[in-house]
Amino acid sequence: MNGILIMDNQPRSRLTVKSMFEAGGFPVNILEAADGDAAVQILKKQQVDCVLIDYLLFKENKHLILKSLQEQRVEIPVIMLTEGRDEPPAVEMMKSGAADYLAKDRLSPEILIRAVRHAIQISQAEARAEMAREAQRKTEAYTRTIIENIPDAIITIDGLGIINSFNPAAERMFGYPKHQMVGQNILLLMEGHLARDISLRSYLTKEGTVTESFGKRKDGGIFPIEISVSAMKIGDNSRFIFIIRDISPRKRMERRDAVLHQAALMVLEEKPVNEIVQFISQQLIDLFAIDGGWIGLKEPQGTVRVIARAGEILPCINEISLRWDDVSGEHGPCTLAIRTGQMQVMQRGNVLSGFCRQQAGVHRVRSIAAFPLAIRGQVLGVLVLCSRKKFFFNPGLITQLDNFSGQVAIALHAASARQHLLLLTTALEAADNAVVISDREGIIQWFNPSFLRLTGYSAGEALGQKTSLLKSGKQDRFFYQELWKKILAGKVWHGEIVNRHKSSNHYTEEMTITPVRDERGEIVNFIAIKQDVTERKKAEEILQRYQLLSERVNDIILMADSHGRLIEANGAAERAYGYRREELLSLHLADLRDPETLAVYKDQLKQAVARGALFETSHRRKDGSTFPVEVSSLGAVIGGKQVILSIIRNITARKKAEAEMLEARQQLMRAERMASLGTMSAGIAHEINQPLNSLKVMVDGMLYWYKRGRMPSMDKMMDNLEKISQQTLRIENIIRNMRSLVRSKNMSGLLPCNVNRAVEGALAMVKDELSTHKIKVIKNLQMDLPPICGQETRVEEIILNLLINAIQALDAVKLQKKEISCATWQEQHRVILEIRDTGPGISQEISPKIFEPFYTTKPVGEGMGLGLSIVHSIVNSLNGHIYLASSPKGGAAFRVEFPLFSLRESNEEYEPVGTI
């Protein structure tokens, strides 16, 4: 406790009260005051829990004491001490705020302590209650402020959909005042057919979710909305809170992005400029509900050429002559926007002058906005939009249209540039002289057909190479130094040079090199025009290989602010991107990105700030070339400002290694195929030796009789020659099958294939191997089996690999009875091939992995684990399926399913010539 103040001008009375506290075992800090002034001083310095005051002393200092008590932070209970006959006045004082009164002559420790405790408890309870009431008042005021100022509409309804409350945002959003909507059904605010077709219950059952719908304003306007519903209980009644957000701006932005994306595609497809801007104009009018508009190009002679028009306003704008160089104002805001490079918005008819006012009056135009179409400060034209509504162009709409016009300018510039480039390219490609364009380092970026004829290289061989590809060694270093010095200084070089043809022959050409500068005045490309003058002299090397002094490359480290503007870069960044540090710090992160990756740039930036990001993308150097990178970005706060730290690694080498790894894997697969051939080599040798022995016997017989002067009959000789031809054809077929199995290229076409014949062919190749290992083959092949879609050699390769696997499995166990069964049959639209063996089988633990590349259970050096992987790949290429079938008798069983042959599945036309 803080203490108790005793106010009494009688020391004896104060001592009595103090002793009663001590006698009652009530430890408390007792403060004493003999008069009002002393009491006031104590109350100013120290907080007390209760005041015991003599009635007569209070009466004399009533106003002073009450003022001091009111200045306390909390209400202090006051107990009056009276003489026995002073009770009526004391009761009056209780009406003025006293908590209790005690008669001095009947005072005891128990009565005193009980009264003090009770007064303090009552005071503390009242203080807590007042604090709760004050907190409630603040909460209600805070909630009311939020509801009244939040941009979302907040509407509460009962279970029948009757509106109970309607905040100011709802009034602004729907156009109804609050008093008109309270008591109405909320479905009145929903779009017509939705209000009829969707019951209120469909919204209430979506509590806690966000749904999209359409709202209806008082003026009948329909707009997209986002609705969130939550429930609350007030007594026994249910209430529902609808939080409604107008998502028109978001939907408009989505449509705008779709329009710009389509325009970009049209640019890439090299659609005509007029077609692109006409599309943009019409979409813009529809998107922003504008009555009319047009796009005009700034002409060098001072005129404005209209290239697109949309909407109902100014239908004859194409026939009107507009001049952007006319400062009289007769042509209105469109020409002013071109001259100043700033948007012009006029929304009152009296500010328009002359011709523009006349046209506006004819078409009842109330608002006009003109946006310059500019790229890097250069005005290309103007976008003019008109409305019949007064003050149609509000600040928000102006901002959106200004941003949109910037995108239109980019599309217009890109389309014009691509069409201009197409025109130049067509002219250069038709030129007799060889023309080649390189970057600042001499990398060939473009050439015409005459260049290919002059050098002998194909387009694939020349593109991306340095022009030093043509060096012949006939010119010394000093020659090239002088040449580069001149062209890097921005001067044109002209002379003769000896170059080398692809065939290694030298030729002389007359060449003119012209530097090309960008908009900053920096040289970015060289154009060389070549004329073959070999008959006059031989040329030496055309260009010196530009040697870059490389240094150890570290990871790129960039730091940017929250908007992506670079604020710091390390030396590796300068080397990687080709910019000086000062140039880098004038760029944004987006400027270093490959334009094709900018679609996800903003999301990656937000993710980096929020929780960090690790991703792969493509970056762009100063010269426009791109390279793959791995980016690790993380948001941080430095000096109270949000920054983004990015560590960027050039992963070109990694990508190349991945490609090389893929190639190595393919080589290993070819090696595995060769290993399979080695396994069946004995069978192949036997197959070839049989026809060779037959040939030898027949030829030796014919020679024997010839040497003895006894020539066989002509019929006998022709019969022997026919047999020799048959045996030769047999050898040829064996060799052709071998070659087909060795090849690893993709099949050029799918043809009808007989699986039974492929089984017989594969068994013939491993016949000796089967005999050597004493393996019995059981064949159960369906007669008249329909053909599948494939190539017989590839099917043989599948069967051959499965047979070799079975042979190796049986060789690993000691069994009296070793068997391999081959069965084929038809199931509906499929042909089934099944190969079983009586070997050790395949355990369930490894069965999921058997088709994985490089997985093998054989000892090191006895296989690369690619056999079944090759089988799986070939089966997939034939649109089939292979799996490990159950084998109740033990061993392994592989089942392959092939689709039946169909002309639609074949890669080429096929006309049957017989029965397979």
Side-chain angles (χ1 to χ4, degrees), residues 114-181:
R114 185 170 60 251
V116 169
R117 281 179 173 166
H118 179 70
I120 293 175
Q121 290 172 355
I122 293 298
S123 175
Q124 290 177 344
E126 291 179 352
R128 287 193 294 271
E130 178 60 27
M131 290 175 63
R133 288 191 292 272
E134 180 63 22
Q136 180 66 23
R137 287 192 294 271
K138 289 182 178 179
T139 300
E140 291 176 354
Y142 180 70
T143 303
R144 186 165 51 254
T145 300
I146 291 176
I147 293 175
E148 290 177 354
N149 292 279
I150 194 170
D152 293 339
I154 300 178
I155 304 172
T156 59
I157 65 170
D158 60 17
L160 299 177
I162 303 304
I163 296 175
N164 302 127
S165 67
F166 204 71
N167 75 331
E171 294 180 304
R172 294 188 297 271
M173 185 179 296
F174 292 97
Y176 291 98
K178 178 179 179 180
H179 69 273
Q180 288 186 5
M181 289 310 300

Side-chain angles (χ1 to χ4, degrees), residues 771-836:
S771 176
T772 301
H773 290 81
K774 299 179 180 180
I775 298 173
K776 179 182 179 182
V777 176
I778 301 173
K779 293 187 292 183
N780 187 10
L781 308 180
Q782 176 182 321
M783 299 297 292
D784 299 325
L785 191 68
I788 68 169
C789 191
Q791 281 190 342
E792 197 162 303
T793 55
R794 303 296 269 178
V795 179
E796 281 186 10
E797 186 173 359
I798 294 171
I799 300 168
L800 185 62
N801 273 285
L802 294 177
L803 288 173
I804 291 173
N805 262 24
I807 293 170
Q808 292 174 347
L810 290 169
D811 192 43
V813 295
K814 294 182 178 180
L815 294 174
Q816 293 295 329
K817 186 179 180 181
K818 297 181 180 181
E819 294 179 349
I820 295 177
S821 64
C822 299
T824 61
W825 68 91
Q826 179 183 358
E827 285 186 4
Q828 296 181 347
H829 300 291
R830 299 170 299 169
V831 168
I832 311 300
L833 164 68
E834 185 177 84
I835 297 179
R836 294 177 177 267

Side-chain angles (χ1 to χ4, degrees), residues 470-476 480 498-500 506 539-542:
L470 307 175
K471 288 177 66 174
S472 65
K474 297 295 183 180
Q475 286 77 224
D476 59 18
Y480 290 106
V498 177
N499 275 338
R500 185 185 54 159
H506 292 172
E540 296 183 340
E541 295 179 320
I542 181 175

